[in-house]
Amino acid sequence: MAEETLPGTADDDGPDSIVLHVDMDCFYAACERLREPELEGEPVVVGMGYEPGEGHGAVATASYEAREFGVESAQPISTALERLPRIDDLGPDDDPAAAGHYRTVDLEFYKSVAADVKAILHDCADVVREVSIDEAYLDVTDRTAWDLAASGDRTLAEGFARYVKQRIAREVGVAASIGVAPNMSTAKIASDFDKPDGLVVVRPGEVRSFLAPISVEEVHGVGPVTARKLGSLGIDTAGDLAEADASVLEAEFGSRGRELHERARGYDDRTVTPTGRPKSLSRESAFTDPTDDIEDKREVVRALAADVADRARSRGAMYRTIGIKVVVPPFDINTRATSLSGPVDDPELVESVALDLLDAEFAETTVRKLGVRVSKLSFADADQSSLDGWESAEAGETGGDGDERVSDEPEATAGDDGDDEPPNTGGEAPSRGGQSSLVEFD
C-alpha cells in the first residue's frame, strides 16, 4: 500500500497553505515599557492581584531579564520578590542590578495596544483568528507564496512575515515572534522556537523533519499527563511519536491517540477560521509628530469618520454609539463617546459627533494619535436609517464592549509616504500613500 500523502510534504499535489502564528513577546511587560521607556532592558514583573508595595498576588508576565532571576508566570509575587527584590525597596548598599520593577496589570491599556497590533494583522491577512489578547493565526495563502525570492536565499512567505514583524515593531513599538508553516499546529510551535523577536519558517516538505527532534510535550494537544504516559511507552520526542504504531496509540488514548500521531507527522487539516462579527469599527491615525493644531486634528478626524462610516455601510452595519480616542504623549489614552437614541447609518452624523467630542475637550491638547469609532453595531436586515437628533452620554463614556476585541484593518500614520509596502509576494499588496485602518479601541 502506498504511503499516505500528507499536507505540507513534497509529494502533496494540492496547494500548500501559508499560516502565520503571531505571538507577542512578554506582552504585558512590553506594554509597560511603552508607557515607561526607561524600563527598556530592565527586569519587569507585572502582577495580577498585586498592589505596589505589597507581597501578595501572582506574576502575570515576567520580562526575559526578570526570568534570568528565576521569576516565572503564575508564580506567587512573594516568591518572585525573594528571587528578584523590588527596586523601590533597596537600601543604600544594595545592588540595583539585582532588583526589578514591579507593576500592576492594566488590562484596558494592554487591550488598546493589542488593538493596534491586531489592526496590522487584519490588514496583512484576509483571514485572522484572534486567540487571545497577544496571539493570533493568519492565513496568508492568497497574499504571498512558498516560492523563493529573487535573492534565492529565502521564500516570499518569509519576507512577508518579516514585513508583518517590522510593522508591529515600528507602528506599535512591541516585539512579536512569528512562526510560518503549512498548518496551524506547526506554525504555533515555530513561533515559540526562537523567542524573543523570533521568525522561524518551516517550508512544505520540511515539517516532519522540523518536528522530529522537539519534545513530545511541544506537540499540539499533548499536556504533562499525556507526555508522562507517552514517556512510559518510550516516546519522548515528536519523531518517536510519528514512528509509533498508530493502533497502539489509539488503544492507549482513544481517537485522540491517532490525532496526536498525525500531528507529530506534520498533519493538521484545521483551517484558520475568523472570529465573529466585530462589536465595533474604528480607525486610528498617528501623527508623524505630536500636534496641538486644531485644524490638523479636525482634518484627521473628518477623514477617520468618513472611513469608519463607509466601512460600516459596506458591512451592512448600523451603530448606536459614536466615539473618539485621543492619545496624548507619551501614551495617555483618552476616550469619549456619545450614545444615540437608535441605530443609524449616517456618515454626516459620525463626522459631526466626532468633531464635537474633539472640540469640547481636546481643542488645545497636544496629541500623537486620534481615532474614531462606531460601536453597538446592528447587522439586522432592516432599512438603513438616519437620525437628526441624538442624546449625549455622560462625559467620559467609553462604550466598552468587554474583553473580546475584533479588529478590522491597520493603523494609518499621518504623513506616511507609503514606502512601507510588503515585499513582492505574488499577492495583493496594500495601496501606497498610507495604510487604511480600522481598529477597535476602548
Side-chain angles (χ1 to χ4, degrees):
M1 179 181 295
E3 184 176 350
E4 179 185 6
T5 300
L6 302 176
T9 66
D11 296 328
D12 182 9
D13 293 331
D16 290 300
S17 297
I18 305 174
V19 177
L20 273 58
H21 182 258
V22 180
D23 194 7
M24 309 308 299
D25 299 326
C26 299
F27 184 60
Y28 290 1
C31 291
E32 293 296 338
R33 285 170 169 165
L34 275 182
R35 188 154 47 187
E36 300 178 66
E38 60 271 21
L39 295 179
E40 187 64 39
E42 296 289 319
V44 177
V45 180
V46 181
M48 301 178 291
Y50 162 78
E51 294 297 333
E54 298 182 358
H56 60 77
V59 175
T61 297
S63 70
Y64 284 95
E65 295 84 358
R67 294 180 189 184
E68 293 178 2
F69 292 87
V71 180
E72 301 174 352
S73 296
Q75 193 175 69
I77 286 289
S78 56
T79 301
L81 287 169
E82 291 174 0
R83 301 178 178 182
L84 181 69
R86 190 166 30 224
I87 198 164
D88 296 337
D89 296 341
L90 293 184
D93 297 327
D94 293 328
D95 182 8
H101 303 263
Y102 285 72
R103 297 292 183 268
T104 304
V105 166
D106 184 352
L107 196 56
E108 292 307 309
F109 175 60
Y110 306 156
K111 287 180 185 178
S112 178
V113 178
D116 291 346
V117 173
K118 291 178 180 179
I120 294 171
L121 303 185
H122 279 272
D123 184 51
C124 293
D126 297 317
V127 182
V128 177
R129 180 160 190 82
E130 300 175 13
V131 179
S132 66
I133 191 173
D134 60 352
E135 179 185 3
Y137 290 95
L138 283 63
D139 187 331
V140 296
T141 308
D142 294 333
R143 296 288 187 107
T144 184
W146 284 115
D147 299 338
L148 290 176
S151 61
D153 60 349
R154 60 177 174 80
T155 63
L156 294 172
E158 178 179 342
F160 191 91
R162 193 173 303 280
Y163 162 76
V164 175
K165 277 176 56 67
Q166 291 171 346
R167 280 195 62 184
I168 293 171
R170 181 181 61 252
E171 298 179 26
V172 185
V174 294
S177 290
I178 298 182
V180 187
N183 59 57
M184 293 175 66
S185 58
T186 306
K188 181 172 176 61
I189 293 171
S191 70
D192 198 42
F193 203 75
D194 190 29
K195 278 182 168 289
D197 199 21
L199 173 58
V200 174
V201 180
V202 184
R203 304 182 189 186
E206 299 176 351
V207 174
R208 188 163 174 177
S209 61
F210 169 77
L211 296 174
I214 70 170
S215 169
V216 72
E217 289 186 337
E218 300 298 323
V219 176
H220 186 78
V222 176
V225 174
T226 301
R228 286 195 294 270
K229 290 182 178 179
L230 289 169
S232 69
L233 298 174
I235 299 173
D236 299 313
T237 67
D240 296 337
L241 184 57
E243 295 294 337
D245 187 328
S247 61
V248 172
L249 294 172
E250 191 165 15
E252 181 71 25
F253 301 100
S255 60
R256 185 162 158 267
R258 185 171 292 276
E259 181 180 277
L260 295 177
H261 181 250
E262 292 176 341
R263 294 275 171 83
R265 299 172 68 208
Y267 180 76
D268 180 4
D269 62 356
R270 295 176 301 159
T271 58
V272 179
T273 55
T275 42
R277 282 176 168 171
K279 295 182 178 180
S280 68
L281 296 170
S282 62
R283 180 180 174 186
E284 299 183 13
S285 179
F287 291 96
T288 303
D289 297 303
T291 182
D292 62 358
D293 187 291
I294 184 58
E295 289 307 318
D296 287 348
K297 291 184 288 188
R298 287 175 62 87
E299 180 180 356
V300 168
V301 166
R302 288 190 189 96
L304 299 178
D307 197 347
V308 169
D310 179 68
R311 191 57 62 95
R313 177 170 290 180
S314 71
R315 283 157 172 72
M318 294 188 289
Y319 34 88
R320 295 187 63 178
T321 299
I322 299 170
I324 64 169
K325 173 179 177 179
V326 180
V327 180
V328 178
F331 218 95
D332 182 17
I333 301 171
N334 303 272
T335 59
R336 301 293 183 267
T338 291
S339 292
L340 311 175
S341 59
V344 303
D345 168 21
D346 192 334
E348 292 183 0
L349 183 62
V350 176
E351 177 182 316
S352 174
V353 171
L355 289 173
D356 285 346
L357 292 171
L358 176 72
D359 294 342
E361 192 172 345
F362 303 101
E364 299 179 1
T365 303
T366 298
V367 305
R368 67 176 294 269
K369 183 189 291 185
L370 291 169
V372 174
R373 179 180 71 169
V374 294
S375 59
K376 296 186 179 178
L377 303 183
S378 170
F379 292 89
D381 294 328
D383 292 337
Q384 303 294 331
S385 63
S386 62
L387 190 68
D388 293 328
W390 41 271
E391 298 174 357
S392 208
E394 292 184 21
E397 176 186 344
T398 62
D401 294 311
D403 290 348
E404 183 178 354
R405 183 167 293 264
V406 181
S407 30
D408 213 326
E409 296 209 1
E411 171 184 298
T413 302
D416 190 348
D417 60 8
D419 289 338
D420 297 325
E421 291 188 9
N424 181 12
T425 61
E428 181 181 354
S431 60
R432 298 187 64 88
Q435 305 295 333
S436 174
S437 161
L438 284 176
V439 304
E440 177 181 326
F441 58 81
D442 284 333

